[in-house]
Amino acid sequence: MIAPLAALLPSAGTHVSTTYADWAAAHDPGAAGAARDLVADVGSELAPSWTNPGRFVDTTAARARRLPPAHLPWFWDTVGHRLIGYGNRPAARAYGAARTAEAKHGLPVDPAYGRASALLFATGGAMPAKEFGAHQRFLAATLEPVAAHAALDAFLMAWAGSSGDLPADLVRRVRASAKAAGYGDGEVARLVAAVLSGTRKKSVPDALLTAAGPFLAARPPQEPVTAGLVEVFPEGSPTAGRGCGC
């Protein structure tokens, strides 16, 4: 019996991910040996490339061009896993390459795997901001509205707690998700406040702060969320739209 695809995600640390080799062993046994060797090669090549992981991604792309289309998402996800901690932007490039391969070749995406994979990359600070909208649409297409909003909540909280920069259009997308689930602006304010409170000690796009301000001013959050927001919306900030009434 083939295990659920989400079980292919690394459980012993992303730096030793064998997701691609494990997928090949279960779904394309004839290519399992080559996949195993390729994952080993990628691992051995990455260690000396830690000072320039972006170049490593460029070199790895040449290997990817020789793979069958169905293998590409699994290969690129594994490369992304290995890159988390080396360079989050290169890891985000690998994540984006995996999703591009799925779309370009019309490959099926297992809903549970797609959610778990996005959560893993978001937690690792390796989620490309441009993929936010695509993942939200994926959640809406594979879950009922309330469950999709709950999954978006978990995804955004993982992203907020990482080193990755948040997308500028977060408030608009949270509002659309909340509306689809039957929630009002109170839920938008709650989730936006929780996300921003988790972004301590990293920059936040001005457009995001400006969009969040009115929601938080109208519905001030409670402690301990307020304490985190003080670092995002400092008192006396001279920039218009940053005051939240916290």
Side-chain angles (χ1 to χ4, degrees), residues 31-134:
R36 210 165 35 245
D37 291 343
L38 182 52
V39 169
D41 289 346
V42 165
S44 62
E45 291 169 6
L46 177 57
S49 303
W50 69 271
T51 57
N52 197 341
R55 181 176 297 173
F56 168 79
V57 175
D58 294 336
T59 302
T60 302
R63 291 180 175 274
R65 286 192 286 271
R66 297 194 289 268
L67 294 175
H71 288 227
L72 291 173
W74 308 98
F75 172 70
W76 276 119
D77 273 349
T78 305
V79 172
H81 300 159
R82 294 287 184 117
L83 280 165
I84 290 174
Y86 275 90
N88 289 349
R89 287 187 179 181
R93 283 179 58 194
Y95 178 88
R99 309 290 78 78
T100 296
E102 290 166 347
K104 179 180 178 180
H105 299 289
L107 301 173
V109 181
D110 179 77
Y113 178 87
R115 292 192 298 271
S117 176
L119 198 61
L120 177 66
F121 278 89
T123 300
M127 176 57 59
K130 68 177 183 177
E131 293 291 338
F132 178 24

Side-chain angles (χ1 to χ4, degrees), residues 196 209 212-213 216 229-235 237 241-244 246:
L196 289 177
L209 296 179
L216 304 186
L229 289 176
V230 168
E231 298 182 29
V232 182
F233 294 93
E235 278 191 359
S237 171
R242 292 199 179 186
C244 71
C246 300

